[in-house]
Amino acid sequence: MFSVFKKSLLAKIILPVVGIMIFFGVIMAVFVLSLFSSYNKELVDEKVATNSATLRTYLRLSERETAIAATSMSRSPLVIDAIKNRSREDIAKAFQTAVDTFGISYFTIADPKGDVFFRTYSPDSYGDSILNQKNISDAIAGKFPTYFERGTLVKVSTRSGRPVYGADGNLLGVISAGVRHDRDVDMQKLKTLVNGEVAVFLGETRIATTPSRDAIAIFDTRLKPSLVNTLLHEKRDTIDDVEVDGEKYKVYYLPLIDPRGEAFAVISIATPLGPVLASSHKIVGLGITHFSIALLCVLVATYFFVANACKPIEGLATTLAAVSDGDLSVTAPHTKEGEVGDVVVSASNHLAKTVDIIKKLTEEIIIMIAEHERGSTGYRLNSKLFHGDFRLLAINILQLSEAGIRDKLTGMPNRRNFDNKLAIEWNTALKEKISLCLMMIDIDNFRNYNDDYGHQQGDEALRAVAEFLMGYAKPERRLFLGRWGGEEFVALLPNSTADSAMEIAEEIRIGIEKLKIHSSDSQAEKLTVSIGLSSTVPSASGSINRLIVDADIALALAKKSGRNRVEVG
């Protein structure tokens, strides 16, 4: 009886299959646990990286907002007259509303000697000297500085100083615009942008925290001694692990460097790890449960399938052949003809062909991603290499990649695509020591146009301007264009002088004017554009943000000077 059993189908096939599947199931479970451990770390690192990037973006925006606010107010005739007449009442009227208008924290006005004449956040506090603040002393010297800096009353803030000149060219005073980082309310604003708790340290001492018990528990009153050297002496950002009442956090610390090169303050974001780990553990548990159920189902199905092994599986080869040709909807036919061995060999051959197709599709995707990361958007995945559902998959991937780098309305490179290109060209110019020019192109009075003709007509106007710009950007001009947002476009000119960039900007301005897009402005017969131009030769101490801010300032000057013109920052 036993010898008969050994020769039976169950002894020869089912039991070995069961043993092998259990063995590989255990190995797979160990592998999955290891994989999820690595996944957890990557997920945590990604959240911390996202929060650190958000913090840096928040600080860059504060620099831009203060620069725009200080520049705009320093050129206002009403402000110039008020400062010239030393009228605190007129200054108060002009600047209190300007704080909300520009989305900043405060303004400080000082005379040419650096003595405070008016503070928006403390109108009764004046007469003291703030000449020791670098943004003030630089502005008195005729410069246009923007710094992270410590002040007399405001301990930590982003500050932009601008000189105020009279009609005769004499210095009347200095305007300093600032965004505060030293109060709980300021940190609460930042907390709405990040997934975590925020704190600010002045030197080693904490001065502001997002108002919650956990935040206070996470951040000690003083920086850890182990972090002081890295943050304040070496001036490097760092990450630290903190545990409070069993809750784990990853804390990112970023030192703020003042204009004298000293790290005088630190901003930190604590990312809670509990939600991340809980979600991951839930996924692992579900994965193990589903795998166990699937394994049981497979074992039962295998038993009945192999127990009836007299039925050959020739239909499987036909199914795999159809799949390799791109038809993923086929089902295996039922048949009793053929030999199991021949069918397995045939199925293996077709499976190899399918794998080759998938490899080719993967290679095309990798090449396309690499080209896009280099700033080249001309490479397209060749969908003609594939057939059936594989071709449809390739077409969908191509459409998805195009949606990620193109503006949906105009078809131009979008903001993310342009930022990648700008970073690449900046590094190239830095390495080769060549110039880099940037243009900010803004349609004049576009809000009125939308109000008068409707958003659909406004979209048509945007497409018309974009079509002209893309037609103008011939390969020999080496001009990279993109949509910056709203009615604003941007152009990058690598290895171009300011004079040649000015000529191109004028050609663009005149060309768009000649489009004769009807305008709602009673003072103009057609839509026009104002262009702000900035140019620099990148250096190790320079920044892309400075190039953008200069172009923005030049654009604001073009708008203020009457629109439909080009100004150089």
Side-chain angles (χ1 to χ4, degrees), residues 79-97:
V79 171
I80 293 173
D81 288 340
I83 293 176
K84 180 179 179 180
N85 297 328
R86 291 293 187 268
S87 172
R88 284 194 175 86
E89 181 179 353
D90 292 342
I91 289 175
K93 290 180 181 179
F95 281 91
Q96 291 293 1
T97 57

Side-chain angles (χ1 to χ4, degrees), residues 144-215:
F144 293 77
T146 298
Y147 303 127
F148 298 116
E149 199 169 3
R150 178 176 182 173
T152 305
L153 301 180
V154 178
K155 301 303 181 183
V156 182
S157 67
T158 304
R159 305 163 188 247
S160 290
R162 297 293 184 270
V164 179
Y165 296 105
D168 55 1
N170 290 328
L171 180 65
L172 301 177
V174 173
I175 293 175
S176 177
V179 171
R180 299 186 67 162
H181 311 304
D182 60 341
R183 301 174 301 178
D184 291 352
V185 66
D186 302 313
M187 293 306 95
Q188 191 64 30
K189 290 179 182 178
L190 178 55
K191 181 181 178 180
T192 61
L193 303 176
V194 299
N195 178 26
E197 303 290 349
V198 187
V200 178
F201 296 83
L202 181 60
E204 300 180 22
T205 305
R206 173 166 56 83
I207 61 172
T209 315
T210 45
S212 72
R213 185 197 67 82
D214 289 339

Side-chain angles (χ1 to χ4, degrees), residues 359-379:
K359 286 181 178 179
K360 181 60 180 176
L361 179 60
T362 303
E363 290 173 0
E364 288 287 311
I365 294 172
I366 291 173
I367 293 173
M368 182 173 64
I369 292 173
E371 289 295 316
H372 286 178
E373 289 179 345
R374 290 195 310 105
S376 172
T377 58
Y379 186 88

Side-chain angles (χ1 to χ4, degrees), residues 1-9 11-12:
M1 182 70 179
F2 181 73
S3 60
V4 173
F5 173 77
K6 288 197 300 181
K7 294 180 181 179
S8 70
L9 191 61
K12 290 182 178 180

Side-chain angles (χ1 to χ4, degrees), residues 509-525:
R509 182 190 66 79
I510 294 171
I512 292 175
E513 186 177 22
K514 289 182 177 179
L515 293 177
K516 296 183 179 179
I517 303 172
H518 184 65
S519 172
S520 62
D521 188 352
S522 61
Q523 298 179 357
E525 296 180 355

